[in-house]
């Protein structure tokens, strides 16, 4: 879930930069941000933990996307 949310957050942000802001992209952006931030906010004790926890979960999601790509390439050339 974290990997999909991180990937959709990156994709929606990139789309906003190049094509502009519309309703569908805003909906994807809010959903992906909510999916990443909700568990962090529930588990955090302070505002600083919320911020650092969000970035930690985001980076873990991005790294898991690269891990999946590496596993796919590794299984092809195995």
């Amino acid at each position: 879930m974290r990997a999909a949310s991180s990937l959709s957050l990156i994709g929606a942000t990139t789309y906003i930069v190049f094509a502009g802001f519309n309703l569908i992209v805003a909906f994807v952006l809010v959903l992906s941000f909510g999916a990443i931030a909700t568990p962090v906010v529930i588990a955090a004790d302070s505002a600083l933990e919320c911020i650092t926890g969000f970035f930690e979960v985001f980076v873990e999601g991005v790294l898991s996307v690269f891990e999946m790509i590496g596993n796919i390439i590794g299984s092809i050339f195995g």
Side-chain angles (χ1 to χ4, degrees):
M1 181 71 176
R2 291 178 181 171
S5 297
S6 296
L7 189 61
S8 64
L9 186 64
I10 292 170
T13 305
T14 305
Y15 184 84
I16 288 172
V17 168
F18 290 113
F21 202 77
N22 62 24
L23 185 62
I24 296 171
V25 176
F27 186 66
V28 169
L29 195 63
V30 168
L31 281 178
S32 60
F33 183 76
I36 293 174
T38 301
V40 172
V41 170
I42 291 172
D45 292 331
S46 66
L48 185 60
E49 273 188 37
C50 286
I51 294 169
T52 57
F54 174 79
F55 286 113
E56 179 183 351
V57 170
F58 180 72
V59 168
E60 284 178 6
V62 171
L63 289 177
S64 66
V65 168
F66 286 120
E67 183 181 356
M68 286 187 296
I69 292 170
N71 286 336
I72 290 170
I73 292 172
S75 68
I76 291 172
F77 296 112

